[in-house]
Amino acid sequence: MEIELAIVSGLPPFSRSFSSESVVIGRSTEADLVLSHPEVSRRHCRIVAQEGVFIIEDLGSQRGTVVNGNPITGQAQLAPGDQIALGPVIIGFGKGQVGQAPLSAADAQLGEALGAPGTVVYAKQTVDRIPLAKRLVFGRSQEVDVQLNDPMVSRRHAVVEQSGDGFRVLDLYSRAGSFVNGRRFDEHQLIIGDQLQLGPFCFVFTGNELHRILRVSVGKVVASGLTRTAGGNVILQDVSFVAEPGQFIGILGPSGAGKSTLLGALSGLKPADSGKILINDTDFYGNLNQLRSMFGYVPQDDIVHGDLTTVEALTFAARLRLTAGTPRPAIAALVQQTMGSLGLVERKDLRISLLSGGQRKRVSVGVELLRRPPLIFLDEPTSGLDPFSEFKLMELLRRLADTGCTVICTTHVMENVFLMDQIAVLLAGKLLFQGPPDAARARFGVSRLSALYDMLQTIDPRTVISFSLPEITSPSEPTGTEQRTTAIKQRRPFALPILLERQLAIFRADIKNLLIALGQPLVIGLLVCWVTDHVPLIQFFAYIATFWFGCSNSAQEIVKETAIFRRERLVGLSRTSYLASKFIWMGAITSAQSLILYACTLITQRVPLSSAPAEIVGLLLLAFASTGIGLAISCFARSALQAVMLVPLILIPQILLSGYTVETAQMDTPVLLVAQIMPSFAAERISDVSLLLNRRIAGDVSEKYDRPYDNLNQYNRVATGQRFKTGQTYTDVRPLWVGYLSLFLWSVAGFVLSYVGLMMKEKE
């Protein structure tokens, strides 16, 4: 006898016939009919065929089994046309009766009025986004605000209304119930990322709207033939991997087995050289930019800004990850809820650098949980944690998987493997096994999984044949409702204001930063004015110090944040916005330092006030030019120490080729050609013109401003064929504008070069 079943609502439609006498239904991959929904138990119920009679039996499920609206206790008999409710998932039973629920005459008439089945109607239009107002009633009736055209939806199903701190949803005693994140509720305060299910309709709350999605659980991963080489060595060889929605899977293996490499390939952080990955039946590598930002990735290191407090770090992370226009109160509620789930509320105002290792790890995990991703990858999340913190974190990941999120992590720890649905065992880049932990004991012949690593030491990697899956077929393009209800890609393409605000928060977190930034130019400026009253020399020191400020301030800025940048790129952070925030912020800091230093020369009356306007513009342009050069150093350096060592190599040529330490008349032609493209040479020309502009050329001028006089006299000879004449007034501003243009071009070149370096650093 065949047992025919079909999903009616709660998950995408699906039908199947079973020729066996017993069919187990549940969330576990070992069930005969797998329902990937967090509200469904791993082994929820069983249908048995006995001598022409069909019996359904609940297997101790958490939510119970309901047949035709009646909860069963123990066993019950099934008849064709019966509908089985497992939480929000409705299954039709019996030949000719599966595929859709029966419609009454009233329901059929109502469906015609609302439009095609499965549509959402708001303001008399079919929509996929519902802007939330003070009060919206959802249901099947024509009198509600949002009409959901499906017979499993009650006429007045639920209401979403505005409360003092956001929006809350209330179930209106609906027949099928209302669910948030797979859990049934009567009343619930909505938090950003909550997934609301009313009958077969699923929505994501974004803070001020409900966006329709295909279904609650969307984190299915199917990989086949993944191979990656590095340095001529194969570090991942023909690996296949499967993760069903809502599963917690651990990738195990000794050091060097390829765990992190596999995780990088699956997450798209470092794609495999060959092979194929499907995410919810969509080619992952073919749509990498569109899909990658939907996932969460927690690296092994705790890459969060240590100068920020817990609440600041999570708030900035939320603002960068959520769509523009998300209300601030909704973000604050999301951050508070995330800290509560991670046990960080009492540490919310403490700087991250002062947290314990386990707490920092939880903050790092919390950054990714803010978006409620359907799929999250973690690389050695328990490294460096004590046994208790380790267990609490793994328990948190287990609870996260129970809400429908697919969790994939690498780990060495075997004590908490019992919390996982499956484990994948790697050795020398090959997959030896994937399946439930209990099955792994039988596969490797060990009584305890803690002995697994000892067992792996006895295996010769050359004899291992990788576990494989059937060849993945190319996915077809989604159409109709499927295309319209794909998961939302939350991305803020223009994040510059948020990044600048974060830079300010980091800067003001430590008063020492402010003291050093203001103290450096003040001390240097006063010291220079104390040791000399020679104006050209003072202005030479002013622009050389400005160049040094800009390079040294920014040389470490990107290389020390490479891991943070890569992580934020995964969630769609614009490369341009990130680099622009560094360029503007560090340029502004350098400009402020330059102005403080130059103010010291004016206050002490060492420099004439008449030269200030032209010189200040030149110093500001030099501040941004040197910042661009420093950022380029930071992008191409492999470590902060390397970046610091490169700064003198850039600074010393600026001193030698500026035109002050060696005047241009004494430079050989090749040296002069190189010097003329240097930013310090442009700054010296600006300084020269600022001191001589509108002055009468006489003996006292040539003595007081000797180097500017010599340089501009040489420039005038080359440009006009004549030298200065005694008594003439200097009015030529061409060297000034050439200097301004040169520094502007250096600023642009520094930004472009930094952008290229950032692209290369992203691919490392």
Side-chain angles (χ1 to χ4, degrees):
M1 295 180 61
E2 289 191 346
I3 299 175
E4 299 191 22
L5 302 171
I7 298 174
V8 175
S9 64
L11 287 173
F14 172 80
S15 61
R16 183 178 173 185
S17 296
F18 298 88
S19 57
S20 60
E21 296 181 352
S22 176
V23 174
V24 175
I25 305 173
R27 196 174 78 245
S28 171
T29 55
E30 297 179 340
D32 300 302
L33 178 60
V34 179
L35 303 179
S36 299
H37 195 290
E39 191 68 10
V40 177
S41 297
R42 288 182 175 82
R43 288 172 54 86
H44 200 108
C45 65
R46 178 192 294 117
I47 298 176
V48 181
Q50 298 178 348
E51 298 178 357
V53 177
F54 297 95
I55 303 295
I56 184 169
E57 174 187 10
D58 185 78
L59 299 177
S61 63
Q62 182 179 7
R63 304 302 303 179
T65 303
V66 179
V67 177
N68 299 329
N70 300 312
I72 66 171
T73 56
Q75 297 181 346
Q77 187 172 335
L78 289 175
D82 283 348
Q83 294 201 347
I84 307 165
L86 312 182
V89 181
I90 309 298
I91 300 174
F93 170 76
K95 186 173 182 180
Q97 303 295 331
V98 299
Q100 68 177 40
L103 290 175
S104 64
D107 288 336
Q109 184 178 2
L110 180 60
E112 292 177 2
L114 294 180
T119 56
V120 177
V121 178
Y122 174 71
K124 299 182 180 180
Q125 292 183 341
T126 300
V127 297
D128 291 320
R129 296 188 176 191
I130 305 169
L132 297 180
K134 289 188 176 180
R135 192 172 191 272
L136 292 177
V137 178
F138 291 68
R140 196 159 43 89
S141 168
Q142 289 181 289
E143 287 75 29
V144 299
D145 302 297
V146 182
Q147 299 168 332
L148 307 178
N149 185 21
D150 190 276
M152 292 306 300
V153 177
S154 298
R155 292 179 177 274
R156 289 173 57 87
H157 198 106
V159 60
V160 176
E161 59 184 20
Q162 193 169 19
S163 60
D165 51 355
F167 291 91
R168 63 173 183 168
V169 57
L170 299 90
D171 182 73
L172 299 178
Y173 306 102
S174 60
R175 179 179 61 181
S178 303
F179 299 81
V180 168
N181 302 326
R183 306 298 180 189
R184 191 164 186 161
F185 69 92
D186 294 322
E187 179 179 343
H188 177 79
Q189 186 71 32
L190 287 172
I191 302 294
I192 294 175
D194 277 347
Q195 296 180 341
L196 173 65
Q197 183 170 351
L198 309 175
F201 298 90
C202 299
F203 305 91
V204 169
F205 176 63
T206 65
N208 52 11
E209 290 183 328
L210 287 175
H211 290 195
R212 189 178 179 190
I213 59 174
L214 183 60
R215 59 187 186 274
V216 172
S217 298
V218 294
K220 182 176 181 178
V221 181
V222 180
S224 177
L226 299 182
T227 300
R228 182 175 172 82
T229 59
N233 298 318
V234 179
I235 55 177
L236 203 65
Q237 182 175 340
D238 194 27
V239 172
S240 298
F241 182 88
V242 177
E244 294 289 343
Q247 283 190 333
F248 181 17
I249 299 179
I251 301 176
L252 284 67
S255 298
K259 301 186 298 298
S260 296
T261 303
L262 176 58
L263 197 73
L266 293 173
S267 64
L269 183 64
K270 294 183 178 180
D273 298 329
S274 62
K276 190 179 298 183
I277 300 179
L278 299 184
I279 305 291
N280 305 321
D281 299 326
T282 300
D283 182 11
F284 182 37
Y285 288 162
N287 300 272
L288 193 60
N289 293 331
Q290 290 75 24
L291 295 176
R292 188 170 59 181
S293 62
M294 296 166 52
F295 307 150
Y297 180 81
V298 181
Q300 185 171 351
D301 298 326
D302 303 326
I303 50 174
V304 285
H305 291 94
D307 291 326
L308 298 177
T309 65
T310 299
V311 67
E312 285 176 335
L314 292 177
T315 300
F316 281 119
R319 292 175 62 189
L320 287 171
R321 284 159 172 75
L322 301 176
T323 54
T326 303
R328 289 292 184 90
I331 292 177
L334 171 64
V335 170
Q336 186 68 24
Q337 188 268 347
T338 302
M339 289 190 299
S341 65
L342 294 169
L344 293 170
V345 174
E346 295 181 355
R347 298 289 186 269
K348 67 176 184 177
D349 296 320
L350 196 64
R351 284 171 54 183
I352 292 174
S353 60
L354 301 178
L355 297 176
S356 67
Q359 291 166 343
R360 287 196 301 271
K361 181 67 70 175
R362 278 181 273 166
V363 174
S364 189
V365 173
V367 165
E368 297 303 330
L369 297 187
L370 291 166
R371 295 183 302 120
R372 307 287 185 87
L375 180 59
I376 186 168
F377 300 94
L378 305 99
D379 191 5
E380 298 285 356
T382 60
S383 62
L385 301 186
D386 60 82
F388 178 75
S389 299
E390 176 186 294
F391 172 75
K392 297 301 291 184
L393 181 57
M394 297 296 277
E395 192 178 44
L396 170 67
L397 297 178
R398 173 68 268 169
R399 293 198 306 269
L400 183 63
D402 288 338
T403 66
C405 177
T406 306
V407 180
I408 302 173
C409 74
T410 62
T411 183
H412 283 100
V413 180
M414 307 300 296
E415 286 75 10
N416 300 312
V417 169
F418 69 92
L419 294 170
M420 300 176 178
D421 296 299
Q422 289 194 359
I423 60 174
V425 181
L426 289 178
L427 181 65
K430 299 178 181 179
L431 184 68
L432 302 187
F433 169 82
Q434 183 184 349
D438 290 341
R441 287 200 294 267
R443 164 66 175 81
F444 294 101
V446 294
S447 58
R448 294 176 294 107
L449 282 177
S450 57
L452 177 61
Y453 282 100
D454 293 334
M455 176 61 188
L456 294 177
Q457 298 297 324
T458 65
I459 299 177
D460 185 355
R462 294 172 296 181
T463 65
V464 173
I465 300 177
S466 293
F467 174 81
S468 60
L469 292 171
E471 182 69 21
I472 301 177
T473 57
S474 299
S476 57
E477 291 295 326
T479 58
T481 303
E482 277 189 32
Q483 192 173 23
R484 205 177 56 240
T485 57
T486 53
I488 301 166
K489 179 185 178 182
Q490 296 178 326
R491 178 177 179 177
R492 189 186 293 268
F494 185 69
L496 181 58
I498 302 172
L499 293 170
L500 288 174
E501 190 176 339
R502 185 172 70 179
Q503 287 288 151
L504 177 61
I506 294 171
F507 181 74
R508 70 186 182 192
D510 191 344
I511 190 64
K512 294 179 182 178
N513 295 333
L514 179 62
L515 294 177
I516 293 174
L518 299 181
Q520 280 181 330
L522 189 62
V523 171
I524 293 174
L526 294 175
L527 184 61
V528 169
C529 293
W530 180 51
V531 300
T532 182
D533 61 356
H534 189 53
V535 176
L537 179 60
I538 291 175
Q539 293 204 160
F540 167 75
F541 279 123
Y543 69 73
I544 286 299
T546 297
F547 189 91
W548 174 66
F549 289 151
C551 283
S552 61
N553 287 342
S554 53
Q556 299 182 62
E557 194 64 20
I558 291 178
V559 69
K560 70 180 182 181
E561 287 189 4
T562 301
I564 294 177
F565 167 71
R566 288 173 179 164
R567 182 179 188 178
E568 292 180 339
R569 278 291 290 163
L570 286 175
V571 296
L573 176 66
S574 166
R575 191 185 299 114
T576 303
S577 292
Y578 177 80
L579 184 58
S581 71
K582 297 296 184 183
F583 185 75
I584 293 172
W585 177 257
M586 303 314 299
I589 293 294
T590 304
S591 297
Q593 291 176 307
S594 178
L595 292 177
I596 291 173
L597 190 154
Y598 196 70
C600 292
T601 68
L602 294 175
I603 293 172
T604 58
Q605 298 182 346
R606 298 299 192 187
V607 173
L609 189 61
S610 60
S611 68
E615 182 71 2
I616 287 174
V617 173
L619 289 175
L620 293 178
L621 286 172
L622 180 61
F624 282 92
S626 58
T627 295
I629 294 171
L631 290 176
I633 293 173
S634 191
C635 288
F636 285 97
R638 293 189 174 273
S639 67
L641 178 61
Q642 191 178 92
V644 171
M645 295 173 64
L646 287 173
V647 171
L649 296 179
I650 301 296
L651 182 61
I652 291 174
Q654 302 305 314
I655 297 173
L656 296 176
L657 301 175
S658 64
Y660 184 88
T661 54
V662 179
E663 63 178 281
T664 55
Q666 297 177 356
M667 292 183 182
D668 294 335
T669 300
V671 176
L672 181 60
L673 291 175
V674 174
Q676 287 175 337
I677 64 174
M678 292 292 173
S680 61
F681 190 92
E684 176 63 26
R685 280 292 173 269
I686 295 169
S687 177
D688 293 343
V689 175
S690 71
L691 291 174
L692 292 188
L693 190 63
N694 297 323
R695 290 186 181 274
R696 183 173 174 270
I697 303 298
D700 60 335
V701 172
S702 63
E703 292 178 4
K704 186 176 182 179
Y705 305 120
D706 53 347
R707 189 49 48 86
Y709 177 87
D710 293 338
N711 285 337
L712 292 179
N713 198 10
Q714 175 70 10
Y715 173 83
N716 194 62
R717 187 188 67 81
V718 173
T720 65
Q722 297 180 351
R723 291 185 177 272
F724 289 149
K725 296 179 180 179
T726 303
Q728 77 175 88
T729 300
Y730 183 78
T731 59
D732 189 3
V733 296
R734 286 177 297 174
L736 183 69
W737 289 107
V738 170
Y740 287 162
L741 178 61
S742 177
L743 292 180
F744 174 77
L745 292 177
W746 268 105
S747 300
V748 174
F751 187 90
V752 172
L753 193 60
S754 300
Y755 190 89
V756 174
L758 201 59
M759 291 177 62
M760 296 174 62
K761 190 171 288 292
E762 186 180 340
K763 297 176 181 178
E764 290 179 358

